[in-house]
């Protein structure tokens, strides 16, 4: 079945940058601050050695990758409370540890200051304004019909179809929650609309502005501390000279934005696993 610009698939960790875009809208409004301890918003963190939003979104919060699979079985407020009592990999700002958990706690801060589900706000502030119509945590029956199936490709299973192993299946289960580190589904068109917005200084290809130019310029800069060599910003990798922001996800999805040229590009594959030598 040919892949099309509107084929739906799992965006995986590209969700991180999209979720961070929502957080940054509240930073722009002064409702959240990048360098305040998150105990200011989440009372369960009071009395703890507390990370900041900047550290949560740049994987230097001290939180581990995640408290256990599947990633969609806990709401973000519960993930925040679990983060308080969990064993940390390091103190805040000391070490880079790739972490879905940190992004979830960042959007828990959004819920704390708004009183609304973060996924509803993501739709209202980012997805709908950019016309990302198929981007969703909860695919409908109609979307499932046009969803690319994931296949394991190896000598034992040359075309074995599998669901996303990090999520509960079927995706219609009521026990599923929106997960900010890797829960989004969407299309190649949705992805290019998002990365084009970043490449165009916060303005979508439809002319809608969702972030200030100054905010997006900051997004292209390394947000990890000087002592941390990893070049990472808000839910995305950046290059050393601040010209490219990019990120990839499981099943071979990847997008990037170039600041100076305004060019964005995506790679959209739904390969669940297997031996690379068969390609």
């Amino acid at each position: 079945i040919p892949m099309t610009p509107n084929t739906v698939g799992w965006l995986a960790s590209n969700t991180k940058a999209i979720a961070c875009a929502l957080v940054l809208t509240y930073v722009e409004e002064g409702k959240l601050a990048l360098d305040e301890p998150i105990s200011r918003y989440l009372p369960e963190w009071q009395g703890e050695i507390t990370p900041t939003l900047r550290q949560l979104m740049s994987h230097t919060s001290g939180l581990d990758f995640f408290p256990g699979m599947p990633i969609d079985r806990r709401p973000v407020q519960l993930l925040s409370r679990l983060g308080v009592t969990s064993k940390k990999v390091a103190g805040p700002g000391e070490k880079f540890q790739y972490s879905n958990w940190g992004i979830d706690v960042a959007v828990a801060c959004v819920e704390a200051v708004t009183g609304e589900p973060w996924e509803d706000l993501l739709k209202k502030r980012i997805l709908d304004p950019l016309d990302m119509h198929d981007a969703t945590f909860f695919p409908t029956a109609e979307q499932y019909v046009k969803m690319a199936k994931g296949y394991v490709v190896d000598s034992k299973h040359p075309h074995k179809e599998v669901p996303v192993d990090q999520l509960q299946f079927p995706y219609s289960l009521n026990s599923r929650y929106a997960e900010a580190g890797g829960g989004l589904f969407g299309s190649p068109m949705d992805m290019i609309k998002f990365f084009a917005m970043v490449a165009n200084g916060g303005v979508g290809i439809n002319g809608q502005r969702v972030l200030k130019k100054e905010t997006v310029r900051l997004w292209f800069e390394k947000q990890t501390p000087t002592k941390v060599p990893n070049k990472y910003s808000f839910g995305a990798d950046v290059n050393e000279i601040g010209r490219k922001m990019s990120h990839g996800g499981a099943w071979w999805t990847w997008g990037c934005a170039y600041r100076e040229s305004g060019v964005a590009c995506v790679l959209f594959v739904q390969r669940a696993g297997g031996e690379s030598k068969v390609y």
Side-chain angles (χ1 to χ4, degrees):
I1 301 173
M3 184 81 81
T4 76
N6 296 309
T7 298
V8 175
W10 182 39
L11 302 189
S13 284
N14 291 287
T15 310
K16 291 178 172 67
I18 299 170
C20 286
L22 173 68
V23 177
L24 291 172
T25 66
Y26 287 96
V27 172
E28 289 182 345
E29 293 175 4
K31 295 177 181 176
L32 294 172
L34 287 174
D35 295 313
E36 289 284 344
I38 60 170
S39 54
R40 177 177 173 180
Y41 317 110
L42 300 169
E44 61 265 27
W45 285 86
Q46 291 178 6
E48 301 294 322
I49 299 175
T50 306
T52 65
L53 271 177
R54 192 188 304 270
Q55 291 165 342
L56 288 169
M57 292 192 289
S58 63
H59 300 317
T60 55
S61 66
L63 287 168
D64 208 339
F65 171 69
F66 208 68
M69 297 293 170
I71 62 175
D72 61 350
R73 65 189 176 102
R74 302 180 184 92
V76 295
Q77 294 296 335
L78 175 56
L79 288 169
S80 175
R81 294 193 293 273
L82 290 173
V84 175
T85 57
S86 71
K87 182 180 179 180
K88 310 301 188 293
V89 299
E94 293 180 358
K95 179 182 177 181
F96 182 90
Q97 170 63 53
Y98 189 76
S99 173
N100 279 27
W101 209 342
I103 308 297
D104 285 303
V105 177
V107 298
C109 293
V110 170
E111 290 195 348
V113 299
T114 63
E116 297 182 53
W118 81 273
E119 63 268 27
D120 293 350
L121 297 168
L122 183 73
K123 180 174 172 59
K124 182 175 8 178
R125 290 191 168 218
I126 304 297
L127 305 182
D128 283 353
L130 294 179
D131 294 331
M132 296 170 64
H133 297 307
D134 280 317
T136 181
F137 295 97
F138 310 106
T140 64
E142 181 183 358
Q143 288 173 313
Y144 188 74
V145 169
K146 61 178 183 177
M147 186 177 292
K149 305 302 187 284
Y151 290 90
V152 172
V153 182
D154 59 34
S155 55
K156 294 180 180 179
H157 304 101
H159 51 268
K160 180 183 178 182
E161 181 184 327
V162 295
V164 175
D165 60 357
Q166 294 185 28
L167 304 175
Q168 299 176 77
F169 187 81
Y171 307 130
S172 57
L173 288 174
N174 292 330
S175 59
R176 297 187 60 240
Y177 293 93
E179 201 278 316
L184 264 179
F185 292 85
S187 68
M189 208 64 207
D190 291 325
M191 279 188 65
I192 199 67
K193 287 173 181 177
F194 177 77
F195 283 99
M197 176 275 293
V198 178
N200 197 34
V203 178
I205 57 177
N206 60 1
Q208 291 292 312
R209 178 172 291 282
V210 297
L211 287 169
K212 296 178 180 177
K213 188 174 183 178
E214 299 78 21
T215 302
V216 177
R217 180 172 288 273
L218 186 64
W219 209 342
F220 281 92
E221 298 177 6
K222 179 179 182 286
Q223 300 300 319
T224 47
T226 303
K227 64 181 178 180
V228 174
N230 306 76
K231 299 176 181 65
Y232 206 86
S233 187
F234 305 121
D237 295 291
V238 290
N239 70 352
E240 193 165 353
I241 51 180
R243 293 179 179 172
K244 184 178 79 170
M245 169 270 214
S246 64
H247 210 274
W251 286 26
W252 293 26
T253 52
W254 179 83
C256 72
Y258 292 91
R259 179 173 58 84
E260 294 180 353
S261 64
V263 170
C265 57
V266 301
L267 169 71
F268 198 95
V269 179
Q270 295 288 280
R271 179 184 173 217
E275 302 164 4
S276 60
K277 66 183 181 182
V278 302
Y279 276 80

